Each structure stands twice: as structure tokens, then as C-alpha cells.
């Protein structure tokens, strides 16, 4: 049986066989970084442009009435918005027949759940994020307690997963609520789900986006100055004014405000 030292030596030998990049001076390293930074900034601008196109996607009216089980009983798709105008619904696989059942949800879905940002920041941008599976609520609550997850998680009881392309694979469906009417605005699945987890990746897939002044959004969309709406996740409050001390910090940080750079 190989000892820990034997394994360590084998790993070091394997690393020595790697064809690694050249070792350079600090000046050469910085030159190489600056060259790559040009491409990285172009990628960032391309990502912003793609998000701007998403905000101009046509909407699909959701005419069918869907029903889910929640911790407090039956809820509709409209209820899941929790009064906010935007809803992101992730279809997670946790149910009989899925690898890991009944102790765990799908490993990939669980991976995604582990990297989720705190939902208070999304809520501050009028967006609700929920999970949905076919497992009963008792199993969902047991799983959430085991894994330390806090997101709202509902049970699919009808054809929602089939109708929205998530009956055989995971995916994020995005909806917008206008009064009592609900519209599907976007859908991301497959490898697109890999990037999900940060507040920004979620907001960039919504109809309203990050809702910041620098964004290219259709006329009339809500927008506020960047950074100034940020808060500690335990201190957001509906209708709370921006802390003038934080506003001063942001105003003094001129170099960070060039989001077009």
C-alpha cells in the first residue's frame, strides 16, 4: 500500500512532467498581464452587451396556472414572486430516481446551491430566487437543514418542468410579473448554469438587469447609481435611504466608477 510520502513523490513527478510556461522577471510578467487584460476587458464588455440584448428579448405570456407545494401549503407561480416584479426559478433535481436520493440532491444541483450569493442582495434589486423539485416538502426541509441552505424551495406538482424545458435537465427560468400577469423573459441551462451563483450573474439574466445607470437598457427601465445601493445583507430595509457615509466612500472612489472601462 502506498504511503502518504509515496503519493506525494508521485504527484511531484507528475507535476515535473507538465510543460509549464516560462519563468520571467516581474517586468515581463506585468507586460504579459497587461496584454491579456486587454482581452479580458473586451470579454467583460461583450458580456455586458449580451446582457443588454437579454433585456430586449421578447416576452412570453404564461397563460397556464401552475401550482406548487411550499412550506406553508399550496402556492401559485405568482405567489413565488413574493411581491417582487422578477422571479428566477431554478429546477433542482431532488426526487426518487436521482443519484443521491434520499440523502442528497443531484451533485451538480447541490454544487450550484453551495455557491449561491446571499439572497438579500438579489431581493434588494426586486428579484426573488427560488428552487423547485419534485421531492415532497418534508424531504426538502430535511435536505436544506443538512446542507445549511436557506433558499425558498418548492415542490413541483404538475407539468411545470415539462412545459419549461427542465423535466430532464436543470435550468434557470426567469419571469416578470406585471400585476397579475406573468411573463417568461429568459432561460439558461446546460453549461450556462456553470456561471450562476453570484448576484451579478443572476441579475444579468433578468429583464431589468442590474438596474444601474451605466447599463444599456430600454427607455424607462429602473436604474440607480452603481455601488450606492449596496448594503450589508442583514441591514437592507424596504424604502431605506442610502447611508450618506457610504455614498461619500463611493463618490471618492472615482477610479472604480468607470464601469465602461
Amino acid at each position: 500500500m502506498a504511503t502518504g510520502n509515496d503519493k506525494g513523490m508521485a504527484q511531484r513527478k507528475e507535476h515535473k512532467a507538465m510543460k509549464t510556461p516560462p519563468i520571467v522577471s516581474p517586468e515581463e510578467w506585468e507586460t504579459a498581464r497587461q496584454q491579456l487584460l486587454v482581452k479580458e476587458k473586451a470579454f467583460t464588455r461583450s458580456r455586458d452587451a449580451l446582457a443588454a440584448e437579454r433585456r430586449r428579448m421578447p416576452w412570453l405570456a404564461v397563460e397556464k396556472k401552475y401550482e406548487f407545494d411550499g412550506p406553508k401549503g399550496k402556492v401559485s407561480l405568482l405567489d413565488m414572486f413574493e411581491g417582487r416584479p422578477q422571479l428566477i426559478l431554478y429546477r433542482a433535481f431532488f426526487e426518487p430516481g436521482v443519484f443521491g436520493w434520499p440523502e442528497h440532491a443531484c451533485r451538480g444541483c447541490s454544487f450550484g446551491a453551495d455557491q449561491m450569493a446571499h439572497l438579500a442582495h438579489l431581493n434588494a434589486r426586486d428579484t426573488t430566487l427560488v428552487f423547485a423539485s419534485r421531492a415532497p416538502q418534508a424531504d426538502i426541509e430535511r435536505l436544506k437543514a443538512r446542507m445549511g441552505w436557506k433558499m425558498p424551495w418548492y415542490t413541483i406538482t404538475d407539468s411545470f418542468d415539462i412545459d419549461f424545458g427542465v423535466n430532464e435537465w436543470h435550468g434557470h427560468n426567469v419571469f416578470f410579473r406585471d400585476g397579475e400577469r406573468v411573463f417568461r423573459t429568459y432561460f439558461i441551462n446546460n453549461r450556462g448554469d456553470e456561471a450562476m451563483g453570484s448576484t451579478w450573474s443572476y441579475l444579468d439574466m433578468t429583464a431589468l438587469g442590474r438596474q444601474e445607470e451605466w447599463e444599456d437598457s430600454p427607455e424607462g427601465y429602473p436604474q440607480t447609481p452603481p455601488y450606492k445601493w449596496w448594503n450589508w445583507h442583514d441591514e437592507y430595509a424596504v424604502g431605506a435611504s442610502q447611508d450618506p457615509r457610504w455614498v461619500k466612500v463611493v463618490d471618492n472612489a472615482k477610479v472604480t466608477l468607470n464601469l465602461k472601462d
Side-chain angles (χ1 to χ4, degrees):
M1 178 179 293
T3 66
N5 287 339
D6 293 335
K7 291 180 180 178
M9 290 180 64
Q11 289 176 346
R12 285 193 292 273
K13 288 180 179 179
E14 182 179 327
H15 290 168
K16 287 181 180 179
M18 292 173 58
K19 186 174 177 58
T20 60
I23 309 301
V24 298
S25 68
E27 294 77 16
E28 290 172 310
W29 188 90
E30 184 59 29
T31 297
R33 175 185 173 272
Q34 290 297 329
Q35 290 174 345
L36 189 57
L37 188 60
V38 173
K39 295 180 180 180
E40 290 180 338
K41 287 184 175 294
F43 174 78
T44 298
R45 290 190 289 270
S46 176
R47 184 189 63 196
D48 292 339
L50 183 61
E53 286 192 47
R54 289 194 191 108
R55 293 191 287 278
R56 291 167 171 81
M57 271 278 295
W59 293 3
L60 177 67
V62 180
E63 306 291 358
K64 188 174 179 178
K65 303 300 181 183
Y66 295 96
E67 186 176 80
F68 302 80
D69 285 335
K72 299 180 181 179
K74 301 291 184 182
V75 297
S76 66
L77 184 61
L78 189 64
D79 294 329
M80 293 161 71
F81 282 78
E82 299 178 356
R84 302 182 184 94
Q86 297 192 130
L87 171 69
I88 302 172
L89 193 157
Y90 177 68
R91 199 291 200 223
F93 278 85
F94 178 51
E95 57 207 55
V98 172
F99 177 73
W101 174 266
E103 290 82 11
H104 282 291
C106 156
R107 284 186 176 179
C109 298
S110 299
F111 199 126
D114 282 338
Q115 65 188 28
M116 282 176 51
H118 200 287
L119 297 184
H121 304 295
L122 271 181
N123 296 163
R125 295 277 92 176
D126 299 318
T127 304
T128 301
L129 173 65
V130 305
F131 275 39
S133 301
R134 284 198 170 272
Q137 279 296 298
D139 292 299
I140 289 174
E141 290 305 311
R142 171 179 52 79
L143 176 67
K144 288 174 63 177
R146 171 175 181 160
M147 303 300 286
W149 295 331
K150 304 296 184 182
M151 76 287 283
W153 197 324
Y154 297 91
T155 301
I156 300 169
T157 64
D158 48 32
S159 63
F160 175 88
D161 51 356
I162 297 173
D163 296 347
F164 288 92
V166 287
N167 58 312
E168 296 181 354
W169 201 241
H170 54 79
H172 290 79
N173 276 284
V174 191
F175 301 96
F176 189 89
R177 177 180 66 88
D178 183 9
E180 297 295 307
R181 301 192 68 193
V182 175
F183 303 90
R184 187 190 196 193
T185 62
Y186 206 65
F187 177 55
I188 287 180
N189 65 348
N190 296 330
R191 288 198 64 195
D193 281 339
E194 291 179 1
M196 308 312 298
S198 75
T199 301
W200 309 121
S201 61
Y202 288 126
L203 290 177
D204 281 348
M205 69 183 296
T206 65
L208 298 181
R210 304 184 186 193
Q211 302 166 53
E212 294 183 341
E213 292 173 343
W214 62 273
E215 286 182 298
D216 175 12
S217 293
E219 183 179 353
Y221 275 44
Q223 290 187 323
T224 62
Y227 305 111
K228 294 183 179 181
W229 63 271
W230 293 4
N231 207 340
W232 295 289
H233 75 248
D234 62 343
E235 291 197 10
Y236 281 112
V238 177
S241 59
Q242 296 171 348
D243 189 321
R245 295 169 300 175
W246 173 243
V247 172
K248 184 177 180 180
V249 169
V250 173
D251 286 341
N252 289 338
K254 300 298 185 183
V255 68
T256 67
L257 296 180
N258 187 9
L259 294 173
K260 293 291 187 181
D261 182 15

